[in-house]
Amino acid sequence: MQVLDSSAFIHEYHTTDDIASIPMVREELEGEASYRYDADEGSGMHVHIPAAGTVEKIQRAARETGDSETLSETDVRLLAAAFELDATLVTDDYAMQNVAEHLDVSVDVIAKEGIEEQRDWLFQCQGCGREFDENKDRCPICGSELTRKNPSNA
Ligand SMILES: [Zn+2]
């Protein structure tokens, strides 16, 4: 089971695992991201409302890690839902990851793919058009300057 935060719906996160979220996430979403939430709910996503006692437990944990100022109400409830469901929390939020770790809640990071993609820049020679996977001052073949090129736009 995975508990999805708002960014999971915004970034079209896909998983074959069972998923859950909370009603407050739906309230934060707009446009296509909110349609994705509705579609997921329609196809069996568990909409979870964590117990007040668990929410307090999360708030306590957040104070212990020094993240309580940073976490929104939604963040706290997402953590509570992941804790109650013994699920993996899917989020990019660093404060949430930090509190999750403190509570032994496992976390999956959405942006991982994005970061790897950025490392995958290609550099193309403006002179001869050869491509290199690392930046150099000059093209070793013809001596022209290299420009950076995103492989996903190539
Ligand atoms: Zn060249």
Side-chain angles (χ1 to χ4, degrees), residues 124-132 138-146:
Q124 185 171 35
C125 173
Q126 292 182 303
C128 67
R130 283 184 174 81
E131 290 176 354
F132 305 93
R138 296 272 158 189
C139 173
I141 313 297
C142 73
S144 301
E145 277 182 41
L146 303 184

Side-chain angles (χ1 to χ4, degrees), residues 23-114:
M24 284 172 87
V25 165
R26 174 65 176 82
E27 289 163 26
E28 286 183 0
L29 296 173
E30 290 174 352
E32 283 185 31
S34 66
Y35 302 145
R36 279 195 280 276
Y37 182 106
D38 293 341
D40 284 344
E41 189 178 353
S43 52
M45 178 174 76
H46 173 60
V47 176
H48 192 76
I49 298 176
T54 313
V55 171
E56 279 167 30
K57 183 187 168 71
I58 305 302
Q59 284 164 338
R60 235 180 357 255
R63 278 195 295 274
E64 282 165 23
T65 61
D67 294 298
S68 59
E69 303 275 302
T70 319
L71 293 184
S72 69
E73 289 284 295
T74 310
D75 296 344
V76 169
R77 279 164 180 76
L78 278 164
L79 279 158
F83 185 83
E84 284 184 354
L85 298 167
D86 195 19
T88 299
L89 180 64
V90 178
T91 182
D92 282 340
D93 185 279
Y94 181 72
M96 285 172 80
Q97 291 166 22
N98 201 29
V99 178
E101 192 179 322
H102 189 64
L103 290 159
D104 278 328
V105 169
S106 51
V107 175
D108 261 357
V109 181
I110 308 157
K112 211 183 284 168
E113 275 177 40

